[in-house]
Amino acid sequence: SLIFRSDSNGEDLEGYAGAGLYDSVTTAVMTEEVVDYSSDRIVADAEYAREIMSKVAHVGAAIEAALGGAPQDIEGVVDASDNVTVVQTRPQM
């Protein structure tokens, strides 16, 4: 299991910290492991990183435009074939 998040409290409504994952609890036995992403293509290849970020930015802009231009908190993934899949969007607070 891998559970992580960015600055979750920076985007939440006052008095409602932890929107999204709220209480993150894994059912698997926890182990610590050092992970090194430095050789991953998204890190090692600047041109590729620009291409992926451009795709992500275009998807985000399209979603915001479809929702009347309102800023969105968008969550998604980029798969091994470089497809961008959105799993959730909500108004940015």
Side-chain angles (χ1 to χ4, degrees):
S1 295
L2 177 63
I3 298 175
F4 67 92
R5 63 188 306 174
S6 61
D7 178 18
S8 62
N9 293 328
E11 64 192 31
D12 294 333
L13 297 172
E14 186 175 337
Y16 189 73
L21 292 178
Y22 198 67
D23 290 328
S24 299
V25 179
T26 180
T27 58
V29 175
M30 299 297 294
T31 59
E32 280 193 35
E33 183 177 332
V34 175
V35 180
D36 180 5
Y37 293 107
S38 63
S39 63
D40 282 5
R41 189 172 179 202
I42 193 80
V43 176
D45 183 342
E47 181 59 32
Y48 175 72
R50 278 189 289 277
E51 289 172 16
I52 294 298
M53 291 299 106
S54 179
K55 276 186 162 184
V56 169
H58 282 97
V59 168
I63 290 170
E64 288 186 357
L67 296 172
Q72 297 291 304
D73 174 8
I74 303 168
E75 299 173 19
V77 297
V78 178
D79 68 20
S81 298
D82 299 339
N83 298 305
V84 178
T85 302
V86 173
V87 296
Q88 172 177 292
T89 186
R90 62 179 176 240
Q92 183 68 51
M93 298 293 172

